[in-house]
């Protein structure tokens, strides 16, 4: 190992006669210092960065080269970071799964509540996506394909600014909207449940739109240009060129939006707290009783302790399924290659 | 030359105007929402800034706001080093394999997990271990854990988005992977990274769910001062009977303004980024 | 005709696979020191793979497999324990259509010396000045070294990338298609620079253009579908090609 380095070094010294000038000598000197004592050489790669290598050369070879028992390079530190992240995230998953398995084994679950909550969650989220997705698609097409630059920019900025609106605020708006005409006692939970998807749509519309705009911008301009060059009208270009290329993005947005709308807590929770009368037994109020609401309410009031984890596991599984389905449509194949 | 029939022109105009109408309507609803909050909340907010407390509820708003800002910054600072290390490792060092793809998918899945899961973590795992009274610490930890996968995937995506020629040319000059990442890729992606961190902070500062769960760990402390702005709004909404009061609008306005400011900074950063390196991006696109 | 003193790079039974696809098949080739060798062949013949495998840049692909040896001054660069960054410093690669980093002109050229540990400002100044002079760019940019490199014209950008590669004092310079996407004036300028450089460096050029190969190279290696078909002094290959495929390629007949 050391010998072969010296061979490289020696051969370079032999061949370096054609490299002239003091500068070159300095560069070579610096390299030689690094070779001689790779760990402590001053002025040359003080933190051992350029000893890092890649590809076929693994940690073992580098260990052998530095004559140190514990070589701690950048790669190892980054590896530790990744391992720590995975450990923390793994702990989160294990915590939920363990709790859920424990509850399932204890056999005193009210499974009806869980099933109802899951169904409510799915229904409300699907409603939100059905409302928001077409509007977002239209907006995204308007921004990228149709609008003059100034209105497009105005809408784009609005959408971007509103894409992280806190959901409690939307909950407040929903409350105000529903109680604007009649007192809250007159509002049935069914009505509130019908309003929930609209409110959630308000939350996911900006996200959908910015996601779809980013996706449509990825479509190369040459694709559109060649469509126009073949004599297609603007509508034909949208219908036959832009839309097919955007289809995967629309599907991905739909799945991501489902996950997002299902996971949203505060909007439905605020409505549930306001309109259910706080009575879990009431049949009708269960329309608003989504998984996150159920988790928050059960935790808050100390009911059905065991069901919390099962519902959390359920929402985790739903979220994972939706995000992996969404990711399948936005898969990138490029990875640091030429 | 065939002239287009009147009918088709009319149909085109109808479709176009309906698209314009829908878009402006949707964006208009969002703007109306902010306008309504400003209309109802500006007075109370100005008063609370002037006198320190809300006139009718007696609760102070600014300390809660500061605590929220502190939580956002602290959670981001706590999560960022680890997340960036993870992102750099997965993007620049790890070999492309099925395992690597699986790990990336898992981290991305956890990044998209509903925040209530992280609240549950605080409620069921952190609270019993760290003990009562450490609500602030537990909320901070839960938020940092929530941010961790988000910032990891965002670092990964930002590095993957850097034109491949920079990585190639830097390595060809004999730079190590770390030097390439630190001196070329991250400087190139820094505005995207900063924008995404701001976005993550906005998410942490605006989400009530984790705090709702963590506060639920101690039912006795229901009356204690809540930790963050969204939780304050939630608990005062739930606690009050009857229609929403003016201080709710004041709180909501402050909350939405904070979120909009953070997002605005993020948008501005991204815009400058696009102008700066658009030429490289265009060239890359042309080459593929 | 440059006298052959030594072989700088020797490929022994070099094969490169991308997954299941074999890009190079048992190449045995010796690159003479202090001369310009042109690697010619149609697209997909393996020119770029050959150049990349000479400085271990192929390893950026995860599914790539390299077999055989590449000897740099008699030392196999693929043997375990060899520092990849050192190989890449000694064997510089200017990839097809290189692009300056989004930094200033000075920082672009100084990037290589900096990652190899040179910190002193006056040393960097010297290196930058000399490299830019060698690349024939000094007179055009000497007043605006702190300007963004992205403000240069495409031809100047290509020259800047040559200067950037020269700044780390490589012994061998691999240039992949120096004429790619450039106008004829810039190409002529770069060819002048290449003619200058081959006095000091061992050059390997991959090119599609027979005219360019004839103008700047001393030796020609003709690749076809991953196989080395012919290698010899440029004048010999042009005058008396031994293989029919070479002849067809040179005269512009393609099957």
């Amino acid at each position: 190992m050391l010998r072969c380095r010296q061979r490289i070094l020696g051969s370079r010294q032999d061949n370096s006669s054609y490299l002239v000038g003091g500068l070159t000598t300095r560069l070579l000197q610096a390299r030689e210092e690094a070779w001689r004592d790779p760990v402590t050489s001053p002025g040359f790669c003080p933190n051992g960065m350029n000893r890092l290598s890649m590809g076929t050369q693994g940690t073992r070879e580098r260990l052998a080269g530095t004559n140190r028992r514990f070589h701690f390079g950048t790669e190892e530190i980054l590896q530790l970071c990744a391992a720590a992240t995975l450990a923390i995230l793994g702990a989160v998953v294990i915590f939920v799964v363990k709790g859920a398995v424990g509850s399932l084994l204890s056999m005193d679950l009210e499974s009806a509540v869980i099933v109802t909550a899951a169904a409510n969650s799915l229904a409300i989220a699907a409603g939100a996506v059905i409302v928001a997705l077409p509007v977002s698609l239209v907006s995204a097409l308007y921004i990228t394909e149709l609008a003059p630059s100034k209105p497009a920019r105005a809408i784009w900025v609005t959408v971007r600014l509103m894409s992280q609106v806190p959901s409690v605020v939307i909950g407040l708006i929903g409350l105000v909207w529903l109680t604007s005409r009649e007192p809250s006692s007159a509002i049935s939970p069914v009505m509130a449940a019908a309003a929930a998807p609209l409110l959630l749509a308000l939350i996911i519309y900006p996200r959908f739109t910015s996601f779809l705009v980013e996706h449509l911008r990825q479509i190369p301009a040459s694709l559109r240009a060649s469509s126009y060059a073949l004599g297609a009208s603007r509508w034909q270009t949208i219908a036959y060129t832009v839309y097919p290329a955007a289809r995967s993005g629309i599907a991905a947005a739909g799945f991501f939006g489902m996950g997002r709308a299902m996971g949203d807590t505060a909007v439905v929770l605020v409505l549930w707290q306001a309109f259910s009368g706080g009575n879990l037994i009431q049949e009708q109020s269960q329309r608003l009783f989504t998984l996150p609401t159920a988790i928050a309410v059960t935790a808050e009031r100390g009911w059905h302790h065991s069901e919390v984890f099962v519902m959390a596991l359920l929402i985790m599984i739903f979220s994972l399924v939706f995000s992996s389905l969404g990711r399948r449509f936005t898969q990138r194949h490029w990875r640091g290659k030429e | 030359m065939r002239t287009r029939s009147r009918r088709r022109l009319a149909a085109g105009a109808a479709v176009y105007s309906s698209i314009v109408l829908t878009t402006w309507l949707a964006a208009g609803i969002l703007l109306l929402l902010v306008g309504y909050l400003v209309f109802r909340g500006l007075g109370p907010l100005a008063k609370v800034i002037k006198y320190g407390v809300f006139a009718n509820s007696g609760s102070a708003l600014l300390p809660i706001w500061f605590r929220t800002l502190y939580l956002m910054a602290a959670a981001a600072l706590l999560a960022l080093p680890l997340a960036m290390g993870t992102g750099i490792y997965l993007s620049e060092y790890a070999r492309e394999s099925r395992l690597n793809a699986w790990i990336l998918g898992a981290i991305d899945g956890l990044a998209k997990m509903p925040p209530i899961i992280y609240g549950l973590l605080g409620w069921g795992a952190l609270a019993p271990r760290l003990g009562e009274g450490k609500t602030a610490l537990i909320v901070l930890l839960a938020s940092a854990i929530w941010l961790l996968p988000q910032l990891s995937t965002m670092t990964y995506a930002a590095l993957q988005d850097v034109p491949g020629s920079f990585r190639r040319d830097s390595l060809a000059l004999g730079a190590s992977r770390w030097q390439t990442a630190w001196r070329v890729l991250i400087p190139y992606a820094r505005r995207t990274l900063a924008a995404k961190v701001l976005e993550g902070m906005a998410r942490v500062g605006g989400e009530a769910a984790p705090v709702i769960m963590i506060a639920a760990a101690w039912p006795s402390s229901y009356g204690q001062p809540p930790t963050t702005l969204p939780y304050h709004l939630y608990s005062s909404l739930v606690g009050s009977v009857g229609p929403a009061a003016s201080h709710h609008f004041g709180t909501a306005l402050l909350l939405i303004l904070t979120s909009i400011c953070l997002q605005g900074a993020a948008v501005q950063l991204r815009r400058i980024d696009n102008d700066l390196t658009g030429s490289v991006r265009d060239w890359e696109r042309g080459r593929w | 005709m440059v006298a052959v003193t030594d072989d700088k790079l020797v490929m022994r039974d070099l094969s490169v696979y991308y997954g299941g696809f074999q890009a190079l098949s048992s190449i045995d080739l010796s690159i003479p020191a202090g001369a310009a060798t042109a690697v010619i062949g149609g697209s997909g013949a393996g020119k770029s793979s050959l150049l990349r495998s000479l400085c271990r840049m192929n390893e950026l692909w995860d599914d790539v497999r390299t077999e055989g040896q590449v000897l740099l001054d008699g030392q196999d660069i693929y043997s375990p324990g060899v520092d990849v960054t050192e190989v890449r410093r000694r064997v510089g690669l200017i990839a097809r259509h290189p692009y300056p980093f989004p930094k200033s002109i000075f920082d672009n050229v100084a990037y290589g010396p900096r990652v190899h540990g040179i910190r002193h400002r006056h040393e960097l100044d010297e290196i930058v000045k000399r490299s830019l002079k060698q690349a024939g760019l000094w007179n055009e940019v000497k007043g605006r070294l702190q300007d963004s490199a992205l403000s240069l014209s495409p031809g100047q950008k290509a020259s800047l990338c040559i200067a950037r590669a020269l700044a780390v004092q490589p012994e061998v310079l691999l240039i992949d298609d120096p004429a790619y996407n450039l106008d004829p004036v810039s190409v002529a300028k770069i060819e002048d620079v290449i003619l200058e450089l081959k006095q000091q460096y061992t050059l390997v050029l991959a090119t599609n253009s027979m005219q360019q190969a004839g103008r700047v190279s001393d030796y020609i290696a003709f690749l076809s579908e991953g196989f080395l078909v012919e290698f010899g002094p440029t004048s010999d290959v042009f005058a008396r090609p031994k293989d029919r495929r070479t002849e067809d390629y040179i005269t512009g007949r393609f099957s």
Side-chain angles (χ1 to χ4, degrees):
Chain A
M1 169 77 211
L2 235 134
R3 211 182 311 129
C4 80
R5 282 188 164 177
Q6 273 161 358
R7 266 165 65 195
I8 294 186
L9 184 64
S11 63
R12 195 184 49 242
Q13 277 172 332
D14 297 340
N15 286 342
S16 63
S17 53
Y18 63 87
L19 300 171
V20 282
L23 216 57
T24 316
T25 326
R26 173 71 186 89
L27 192 70
L28 289 175
Q29 262 173 8
R31 292 301 308 182
E32 278 162 30
E33 280 163 21
W35 285 119
R36 222 173 290 131
D37 190 351
V39 180
T40 57
S41 104
F44 199 80
C45 68
N47 15 8
M49 282 171 185
N50 78 324
R51 276 196 316 285
L52 266 184
S53 60
M54 43 182 285
T56 55
Q57 194 179 359
T59 315
R60 196 175 291 273
E61 278 100 0
R62 260 177 288 118
L63 277 174
T66 54
N67 295 331
R68 268 200 167 190
R69 185 163 290 174
F70 299 109
H71 175 83
F72 215 69
T74 327
E75 179 165 7
E76 282 77 10
I77 293 171
L78 293 173
Q79 221 160 13
L80 270 183
C81 282
T85 303
L86 284 181
I88 291 172
L89 297 180
V92 175
V93 175
I94 288 170
F95 163 69
V96 174
V97 171
K98 213 174 118 188
V101 168
S103 316
L104 284 171
L105 291 179
S106 69
M107 300 294 277
D108 63 342
L109 287 175
E110 274 190 54
S111 53
V113 174
I114 298 171
V115 171
T116 319
N120 288 341
S121 269
L122 278 175
I124 288 181
V129 170
I130 288 168
V131 172
L133 194 54
V135 182
S136 298
L137 181 61
V138 164
S139 301
L141 282 176
Y142 177 71
I143 290 172
T144 55
E145 309 292 324
L146 298 170
S149 69
K150 269 192 181 160
R153 178 141 188 82
I155 292 194
W156 168 240
V157 169
T158 311
V159 158
R160 289 296 299 166
L161 290 184
M162 300 300 284
S163 64
Q164 294 294 344
V165 169
S167 54
V168 201
V169 175
I170 303 290
L172 169 73
I173 295 290
L175 209 59
V176 172
W177 175 43
L178 283 170
T179 53
S180 58
R181 290 205 205 99
E182 28 201 335
S184 61
S185 55
I187 292 168
S188 70
V190 179
M191 227 169 119
L198 292 178
L199 293 169
L200 282 174
L202 211 55
I203 289 181
I204 55 180
Y205 162 73
R207 287 160 198 249
F208 270 171
T209 309
S210 51
F211 181 90
L212 285 173
V213 167
E214 299 273 352
H215 193 86
L216 289 177
R217 283 191 180 156
Q218 297 291 322
I219 299 170
S222 59
L223 209 64
R224 293 188 188 101
S226 42
S227 171
Y228 285 124
L230 289 170
S233 72
R234 179 181 273 191
W235 300 112
Q236 286 166 331
T237 303
I238 290 177
Y240 299 120
T241 311
V242 178
Y243 174 71
R247 233 169 1 202
S248 64
I250 296 166
F255 286 121
F256 287 146
M258 273 302 278
R260 167 76 195 138
M262 270 194 87
D264 194 272
T265 315
V267 173
V268 184
L269 186 57
V270 166
L271 293 183
W272 190 86
Q273 298 274 21
F275 300 121
S276 71
N279 192 350
L280 197 65
I281 315 300
Q282 269 183 5
E283 255 307 301
Q284 290 169 314
S285 74
Q286 291 190 352
R287 286 279 160 82
L288 273 176
F289 203 62
T290 58
L291 283 172
T293 309
I295 293 171
V297 169
T298 7
E300 214 164 52
R301 315 208 167 164
W303 298 333
H304 309 293
H305 223 53
S306 56
E307 274 137 35
V308 170
F309 284 100
V310 181
M311 289 188 286
L313 182 65
L314 214 57
I315 202 167
M316 226 164 153
I317 290 170
F318 275 124
S319 164
L320 271 180
V321 165
F322 285 129
S323 64
S324 61
L325 279 173
R327 205 166 40 246
R328 184 165 290 182
F329 289 99
T330 53
Q331 207 69 254
R332 292 181 188 208
H333 294 291
W334 181 78
R335 230 186 77 97
K337 292 173 184 175
E338 189 185 338
Chain B
M1 193 83 180
R2 187 164 53 96
T3 49
R4 271 203 234 172
S5 73
R6 243 200 178 139
R7 211 175 184 179
R8 283 186 65 181
L9 275 177
V15 173
Y16 183 78
S17 49
S18 66
I19 285 179
V20 175
L21 210 65
T22 315
T23 307
W24 280 103
L25 205 65
I29 288 174
L30 292 178
L31 289 174
L32 206 67
L33 195 150
V34 180
Y36 180 72
L37 283 178
V38 171
F39 168 67
R40 295 287 302 268
L42 198 59
L45 190 62
K47 266 186 202 147
V48 82
I49 287 169
K50 202 169 170 191
Y51 300 117
V53 291
F54 278 121
N56 49 357
S57 74
S59 62
L61 190 63
L62 290 184
I64 301 173
W65 185 51
F66 289 139
R67 210 176 299 152
T68 310
L69 293 181
Y70 164 77
L71 169 76
M72 290 192 280
L77 278 180
L78 211 59
L80 196 60
L82 207 54
M84 275 188 78
T86 309
I88 293 173
Y89 181 78
L90 289 177
S91 167
E92 301 303 314
Y93 287 84
R95 307 202 115 216
E96 198 169 2
S97 64
R98 196 164 286 182
L99 177 73
N100 196 30
W102 189 87
I103 287 174
L104 273 170
I107 293 180
D108 191 48
L110 279 153
K112 293 201 168 68
M113 211 58 93
I116 192 131
I117 297 288
Y118 296 92
L120 187 81
L121 183 79
W123 169 79
L126 299 177
R129 283 186 184 78
L130 292 172
E132 203 164 331
K134 297 219 175 102
T135 326
L137 179 67
I138 294 166
V139 170
L140 174 61
L141 280 177
S143 303
I145 293 176
W146 180 32
L147 269 182
L148 187 59
Q150 292 178 33
L151 296 183
S152 299
T153 47
M154 116 7 223
T155 309
Y156 176 83
L159 288 177
Q160 290 290 296
D161 237 26
V162 178
S165 66
F166 293 151
R167 189 180 283 108
R168 175 198 69 189
D169 290 349
S170 171
L171 290 171
L173 288 169
S176 68
R177 293 204 159 190
W178 170 253
Q179 286 171 326
T180 303
W182 190 247
R183 294 177 180 224
V184 178
L185 306 183
I186 289 181
Y188 178 89
R190 62 174 186 264
R191 286 175 185 280
T192 319
L193 289 173
K196 292 286 179 181
V197 170
L198 286 176
E199 213 165 272
M201 282 167 68
R203 209 169 292 167
V204 163
E207 190 56 66
V211 194
I212 293 174
M213 285 299 288
I214 290 161
W218 300 287
S220 58
S221 68
Y222 206 71
Q224 278 181 5
T227 349
T228 65
L229 212 51
Y231 179 70
H232 173 70
L233 180 57
Y234 165 77
S235 61
S236 63
L237 268 178
V238 169
S240 71
V241 193
S246 63
H247 66 99
H248 293 144
F249 290 104
T251 315
L253 181 62
L254 188 58
L255 196 53
I256 207 167
L257 284 182
T258 312
S259 143
I260 286 177
C261 284
L262 283 168
Q263 279 294 110
V267 169
Q268 193 66 21
L269 280 169
R270 291 289 293 276
R271 194 174 68 83
I272 295 167
D273 191 37
N274 285 342
D275 292 348
L276 194 73
T277 50
S279 54
V280 184
R281 178 67 54 207
D282 289 346
W283 163 76
E284 279 283 329
R285 207 169 271 160
R287 197 170 66 108
W288 292 106
Chain C
M1 192 69 239
V2 174
V4 183
T5 50
D6 197 4
D7 287 337
K8 185 75 183 170
L9 274 167
V10 179
M11 282 151 260
R12 279 200 195 137
D13 199 20
L14 179 72
S15 299
V16 172
Y17 302 85
Y18 299 117
F21 172 72
Q22 186 166 18
L24 289 178
S25 312
S26 325
I27 304 283
D28 280 298
L29 178 61
S30 300
I31 307 280
T37 305
V39 181
I40 60 170
S43 41
K47 302 188 297 291
S48 297
S49 298
L50 182 76
L51 258 57
R52 280 195 299 261
S53 62
L54 295 183
C55 60
R56 291 183 66 170
M57 284 295 281
N58 264 339
E59 285 166 28
L60 298 191
W61 279 256
D62 282 331
D63 58 348
V64 79
R65 206 170 80 244
T66 310
E67 288 171 0
Q69 287 184 313
V70 176
L71 306 178
L72 174 63
D73 291 329
Q75 165 70 39
D76 183 14
I77 63 171
Y78 281 95
S79 71
V82 168
D83 187 347
V84 185
T85 58
E86 174 63 6
V87 168
R88 293 194 186 136
R89 192 197 68 74
R90 295 178 61 193
V91 184
L93 171 73
I94 299 172
R96 172 184 302 191
H97 207 148
Y99 209 84
F101 300 130
K103 300 167 182 266
S104 72
I105 295 170
F106 182 90
D107 287 342
N108 259 284
V109 183
Y111 178 81
R114 275 187 180 140
V115 302
H116 290 291
I118 290 182
R119 299 264 186 277
H120 295 297
R121 183 70 194 198
H122 64 271
E123 282 182 48
L124 289 174
D125 284 343
E126 284 279 320
I127 293 176
V128 168
K129 186 177 173 186
R130 193 203 49 218
S131 308
L132 285 171
K133 272 184 178 163
Q134 280 182 309
L137 198 61
W138 176 249
N139 287 328
E140 293 167 47
V141 300
K142 63 182 168 191
R144 49 187 185 117
L145 287 178
Q146 296 306 324
D147 285 11
S148 167
L150 303 184
S151 65
L152 297 173
S153 73
Q156 287 173 323
K157 281 176 184 164
S159 300
L160 183 66
C161 291
I162 294 180
R164 187 174 65 182
L166 290 174
V168 295
Q169 290 283 0
E171 297 158 32
V172 183
L173 204 55
L174 314 169
I175 308 180
D176 195 352
D177 214 346
Y180 188 78
N181 263 9
L182 286 180
D183 59 293
V185 179
S186 307
V187 172
K189 217 183 130 201
I190 284 181
E191 282 177 9
D192 287 343
V193 170
I194 290 173
L195 286 172
E196 281 292 315
L197 289 177
K198 76 177 180 184
Q199 316 293 327
Q200 284 185 51
Y201 299 89
T202 303
L203 291 183
V204 184
L205 303 150
T207 178
N208 281 317
S209 150
M210 293 309 302
Q211 290 81 4
Q212 188 173 49
R215 278 194 298 267
V216 299
S217 72
D218 306 310
Y219 295 89
I220 279 190
F222 178 65
L223 288 181
S224 176
E225 290 169 5
F227 289 93
L228 177 67
V229 176
E230 191 159 350
F231 175 71
T234 302
S235 47
D236 292 5
V237 174
F238 273 125
R240 295 176 298 277
K242 290 180 202 117
D243 197 285
R244 241 207 63 198
R245 284 173 290 178
T246 321
E247 195 180 341
D248 286 352
Y249 191 77
I250 290 170
T251 53
R253 276 199 303 266
F254 305 106
S255 48

